[in-house]
């Protein structure tokens, strides 16, 4: 599998051959052509929260002060995400197009780096196919359309460079390349924890001897140990993500992982055809594939997904499968290359064309679905950043998510443009909506009917009356505990219906009767509301927990 002529060749010479120049040009053109429409997108999803965080704190603070680092996320260690926004704010201000350009540049560079990595072992044509499959894959579509995933894209670019440098170190027997690789591995792990386990594949890469691979892995191991210490110091745990109880359903994990190919190619007849072709290619190239490497890499890719299975779930070809999509492109390129040496090349190219076409069609579908999913936040950001103080905004179903992210964009706008006018308030629940003076204020909310934020002032009276008619005093119990960067709850006595919590005057977040969730802040205020299957509603009184004075709140009504 390894090209012997590369062992003693200065690696930079590969960068300037006609083949590599043409491949680089083609990948750049493909990236621009395939994702050009993304440049007209606005702020989406978590952008507001990240914009506010990056405009409030400096890189020194969110990289090296744990109390600030964990404010970005109590479940993940991703300071590069804030840096991604910080860099873009410095370059482009609050113009989202610049952020998307940055994202596309990273995707393009990652595809080009993937081509060079593959070219270490297989022919340029198949290396180019692997890079193309990655670029137009469904997970990459999600990354290109979501600025908030800049740490995913940056991390993968750093990983590919780190792997390339490691192979150069082994083949050329030069420590400097190992140090370069370790440096980029360090950058990768500050982006996202999914890249941390990839260190385990280094001893299995087809380059040099096992002894030399282990020797040049030492610098990577040092980075790994530093990361482990850093993560435990900041988050207080090494594994778990949002799953704080440590309870894992093996059958659910296996079912989820078994569905990943369907998510990547599409859960339909054409998608299953693609999966069948991939399996046939793997069988035909069985003797050439390094199965130890493949299995170790698969384990390293899937391991970080385990905590996500229970919450929030792995149910789409989104950012959670970005690394898996890249790994699939590597495996597919190698399988095609191996098969081309064994069977009729025309048949292999036919299989390649079918797979790329199916992949492309599935990605287009994902693009359309993603645009629909993004519309509520995208239109709401647009409204908030151009609103005035005589307007108020209510989120669909008073959803907490909107109340958590939209104010961040307004705060960032105020940080960067102090002279900007005050914007609309976000009303988190019906009771506060009932106090709004509708003679001097208008009420606005996102509507799927018009795919816009529309004036809903005329509906407010009916909403308030409906809520008041449903609200009643019924049996309810609440027990909340805040400790060790998490909040734990026990709600009762009902097992059906829906419990929601009003969080910090931002909106409602649904809760199961019992559970725990990461929570990096020291205060929590709000109330618990229960919606019965019969339609009536009951609620607890307001609570205000401050861990500096109390960590527990308990209340019940019989």
């Amino acid at each position: 599998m390894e090209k012997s002529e590369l062992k003693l060749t200065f690696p930079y010479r590969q960068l300037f051959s006609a083949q590599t120049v043409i491949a680089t040009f083609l990948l750049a053109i493909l990236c621009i052509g395939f994702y050009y429409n993304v440049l007209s997108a606005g702020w989406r999803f978590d952008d507001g929260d990240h914009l506010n965080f990056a405009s409030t704190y400096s890189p020194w603070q969110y990289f090296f002060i744990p109390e600030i680092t964990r404010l970005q996320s109590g479940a993940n260690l991703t300071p590069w995400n804030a840096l991604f926004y910080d860099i873009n704010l410095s370059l482009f201000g609050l113009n989202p197009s610049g952020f998307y350009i940055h994202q596309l540049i990273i995707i393009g560079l990652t595809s080009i780096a993937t081509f060079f990595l593959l070219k270490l072992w297989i022919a340029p044509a198949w290396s180019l196919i692997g890079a193309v499959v990655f670029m137009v894959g469904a997970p990459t579509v999600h990354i290109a359309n979501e600025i908030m995933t800049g740490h995913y894209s940056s991390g993968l670019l750093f990983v590919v460079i780190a792997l390339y440098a490691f192979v150069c170190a082994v083949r050329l027997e030069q420590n400097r390349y190992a140090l370069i690789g370790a440096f980029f591995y360090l950058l990768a792990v500050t982006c996202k924890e999914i890249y941390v386990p990839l260190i385990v594949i280094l001893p299995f890469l087809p380059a040099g001897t096992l002894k030399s691979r282990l020797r040049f892995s030492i610098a990577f191991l040092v980075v790994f140990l530093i990361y482990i210490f850093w993560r435990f110091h900041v988050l207080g745990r090494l594994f778990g993500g949002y799953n704080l109880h440590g309870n894992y359903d093996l059958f659910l994990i296996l079912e989820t992982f078994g569905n990943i190919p369907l998510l990547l190619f599409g859960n339909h007849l054409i998608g299953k055809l693609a999966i069948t072709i991939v399996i046939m290619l793997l069988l035909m190239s069985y003797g050439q594939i390094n199965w130890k490497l493949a299995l170790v890499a698969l384990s390293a890719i899937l391991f970080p997904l385990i905590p996500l299975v229970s919450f929030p779930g792995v149910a789409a070809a989104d950012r959670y499968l970005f690394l898996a999509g890249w790994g699939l492109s590597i495996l597919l390129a190698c399988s095609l290359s191996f098969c081309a040496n064994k069977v009729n090349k025309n048949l292999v190219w036919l299989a390649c064309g079918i797979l790329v076409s199916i992949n492309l069609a599935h990605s287009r579908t994902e693009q359309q679905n993603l645009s629909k999913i993004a519309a509520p936040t995208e239109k709401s950001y647009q409204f908030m950043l151009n609103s005035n103080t005589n307007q108020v905004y209510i989120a669909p179903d008073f959803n907490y998510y909107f109340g958590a992210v939209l104010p961040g964009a307004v705060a960032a706008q105020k940080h960067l443009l102090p002279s900007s006018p005050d914007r609309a308030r976000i009303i988190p629940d019906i009771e506060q909506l009932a106090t709004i003076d509708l003679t001097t204020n208008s009420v606005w909310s996102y509507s799927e009917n018009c795919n816009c934020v529309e004036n809903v002032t005329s509906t407010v009276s009916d909403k308030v009356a409906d809520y008041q008619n449903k609200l009643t005093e019924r049996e309810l119990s609440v027990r909340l505990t805040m400790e060790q960067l998490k909040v734990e709850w026990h709600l009762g006595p009902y097992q059906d219906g829906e419990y929601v919590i009003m969080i910090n005057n931002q909106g409602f977040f649904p809760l199961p009767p019992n559970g725990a969730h990461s929570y990096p802040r020291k205060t929590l205020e709000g109330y618990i509301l229960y919606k019965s299957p019969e339609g009536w509603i009951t609620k607890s009184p307001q609570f205000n927990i401050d861990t500096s004075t109390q960590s527990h709140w308990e209340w019940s009504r019989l």
Side-chain angles (χ1 to χ4, degrees):
M1 183 175 175
E2 183 178 347
K3 293 180 178 179
S4 59
E5 67 269 17
L6 290 178
K7 289 182 179 178
L8 298 176
T9 301
F10 191 65
Y12 295 154
R13 293 179 183 176
Q14 298 182 66
L15 302 178
F16 304 107
S17 69
Q19 290 175 331
T20 57
V21 171
I22 292 172
T24 300
F25 178 76
L26 290 176
L27 289 171
I29 294 299
L30 178 61
C31 185
I32 295 171
F34 193 68
Y35 291 113
Y36 178 79
N37 290 337
V38 171
L39 301 181
S40 62
W43 303 116
R44 294 172 168 175
F45 304 115
D46 296 358
D47 286 339
D49 195 39
H50 296 312
L51 287 169
N52 185 31
F53 187 85
S55 63
T56 302
Y57 301 105
S58 67
W60 169 259
Q61 292 175 302
Y62 52 72
F63 268 93
F64 300 110
I65 302 178
E67 292 77 12
I68 293 176
T69 305
R70 69 174 70 105
L71 286 178
Q72 187 182 29
S73 173
N76 304 295
L77 185 56
T78 57
W80 194 279
N81 195 13
L83 183 62
F84 180 82
Y85 280 87
D86 227 336
I87 292 170
N88 286 315
L89 282 172
S90 299
L91 295 174
F92 311 113
L94 283 173
N95 179 7
S97 296
F99 289 65
Y100 286 109
I101 290 173
H102 185 178
Q103 187 81 307
L104 295 187
I105 289 173
I106 293 174
I107 290 173
L109 290 175
T110 304
S111 298
I112 293 169
T114 298
F115 166 78
F116 281 107
L117 181 66
L118 281 168
K119 193 169 168 288
L120 292 173
W121 296 288
I122 62 177
W126 301 117
S127 301
L128 180 61
I129 290 297
V132 169
V133 170
F134 160 72
M135 182 183 290
V136 302
T140 309
V141 168
H142 281 263
I143 297 297
N145 281 271
E146 301 172 15
I147 298 171
M148 68 174 186
T149 61
H151 54 315
Y152 280 84
S153 59
S154 301
L156 183 56
L157 174 60
F158 297 146
V159 160
V160 178
I161 296 173
L163 292 175
Y164 186 90
F166 174 79
V167 174
C168 289
V170 174
R171 288 180 171 178
L172 300 173
E173 293 286 325
Q174 293 188 14
N175 286 319
R176 58 175 174 169
Y177 291 114
L179 294 176
I180 291 172
F183 172 73
F184 279 100
Y185 176 61
L186 173 63
L187 296 183
V189 300
T190 66
C191 292
K192 191 65 183 169
E193 52 273 298
I194 62 172
Y195 301 117
V196 176
L198 293 180
I199 187 176
V200 300
I201 73 172
L202 299 183
F204 300 92
L205 288 173
T209 63
L210 175 60
K211 182 178 179 180
S212 64
R213 293 195 298 271
L214 291 175
R215 177 163 65 91
F216 289 110
S217 298
I218 293 175
F220 289 77
L221 180 61
V222 171
V223 172
F224 174 80
L225 294 175
I226 292 173
Y227 173 84
I228 293 299
F229 173 80
W230 179 41
R231 182 180 179 86
F232 190 80
H233 182 60
V234 174
L235 299 180
R237 62 186 186 278
L238 301 179
F239 186 70
Y242 299 102
N243 187 337
L244 301 183
H245 280 301
N247 300 322
Y248 299 100
D249 185 334
L250 178 60
F251 293 103
L252 180 60
I253 292 171
L254 293 177
E255 180 185 9
T256 300
F257 288 173
N259 286 332
I260 288 178
L262 293 173
L263 295 176
L264 293 175
F265 287 108
N267 190 7
H268 43 63
L269 183 61
I270 301 300
K272 292 174 183 176
L273 171 62
I275 295 171
T276 302
I277 293 175
V278 171
I279 292 173
M280 292 176 62
L281 290 171
L282 292 177
L283 291 175
M284 286 190 292
S285 56
Y286 180 84
Q288 285 73 41
I289 292 178
N290 184 335
W291 287 105
K292 288 184 179 179
L293 172 61
L295 292 175
V296 169
L298 180 64
S299 300
I301 290 171
L302 295 181
F303 179 72
L305 299 180
I306 292 175
L308 302 175
V309 169
S310 57
F311 181 85
V314 181
D318 55 15
R319 64 188 185 275
Y320 296 144
L321 297 185
F322 184 53
L323 183 57
W326 179 79
L328 177 64
S329 70
I330 297 293
L331 183 61
L332 182 59
C334 292
S335 298
L336 289 167
S337 175
F338 299 149
C339 288
N341 295 326
K342 296 179 64 177
V343 299
N344 189 303
K345 287 187 178 182
N346 292 331
L347 289 177
V348 178
W349 278 107
L350 176 61
C352 175
I354 293 173
L355 287 174
V356 172
S357 298
I358 294 174
N359 200 30
L360 191 60
H362 181 48
S363 295
R364 285 301 186 191
T365 301
E366 285 292 312
Q367 171 75 57
Q368 295 169 2
N369 294 337
L370 182 59
S371 297
K372 294 178 182 178
I373 296 171
T377 51
E378 187 170 0
K379 299 298 182 182
S380 297
Y381 277 121
Q382 184 180 7
F383 168 79
M384 288 298 298
L385 292 173
N386 295 279
S387 60
N388 60 65
T389 54
N390 292 326
Q391 296 172 310
V392 297
Y393 173 90
I394 57 174
D397 299 320
F398 295 98
N399 190 304
Y400 157 80
Y401 182 71
F402 292 82
V405 300
L406 296 180
V410 175
Q413 185 183 58
K414 204 67 176 176
H415 284 146
L416 297 171
L417 304 169
S419 61
S420 61
D422 293 334
R423 302 301 183 185
R425 289 178 295 154
I426 298 178
I427 304 301
D429 64 6
I430 286 284
E431 294 187 359
Q432 293 186 49
L433 181 62
T435 65
I436 298 297
D437 183 358
L438 300 181
T439 62
T440 58
N441 295 278
S442 57
V443 181
W444 298 73
S445 186
Y446 174 80
S447 171
E448 290 184 355
N449 295 329
C450 66
N451 189 28
C452 67
V453 175
E454 63 178 1
N455 191 328
V456 296
T457 308
S458 61
T459 68
V460 170
S461 298
D462 290 340
K463 289 179 182 290
V464 172
D466 181 64
Y467 172 79
Q468 292 174 342
N469 289 334
K470 293 179 178 178
L471 185 64
T472 182
E473 287 197 358
R474 296 288 184 98
E475 186 177 1
L476 186 64
S477 63
V478 180
R479 187 165 79 250
L480 300 172
T481 303
M482 288 177 58
E483 59 182 2
Q484 298 178 342
L485 305 177
K486 70 177 181 179
V487 58
E488 189 171 351
W489 64 88
H490 300 276
L491 310 174
Y494 314 103
Q495 296 302 311
D496 55 1
E498 181 184 22
Y499 293 97
V500 295
I501 181 174
M502 167 60 65
I503 303 180
N504 299 328
N505 210 34
Q506 293 175 323
F508 292 112
F509 186 85
L511 298 176
N514 301 285
H517 200 284
S518 61
Y519 189 78
R521 290 166 176 78
K522 296 181 179 180
T523 61
L524 175 65
E525 61 176 312
Y527 60 86
I528 300 295
L529 186 143
Y530 171 74
K531 303 176 184 178
S532 73
E534 295 80 17
W536 54 265
I537 297 171
T538 193
K539 62 189 285 286
S540 75
Q542 187 89 4
F543 59 78
N544 193 329
I545 304 175
D546 187 334
T547 55
S548 63
T549 57
Q550 69 175 115
S551 60
H552 181 78
W553 188 80
E554 189 168 355
W555 171 89
S556 65
R557 182 197 297 126
L558 301 178

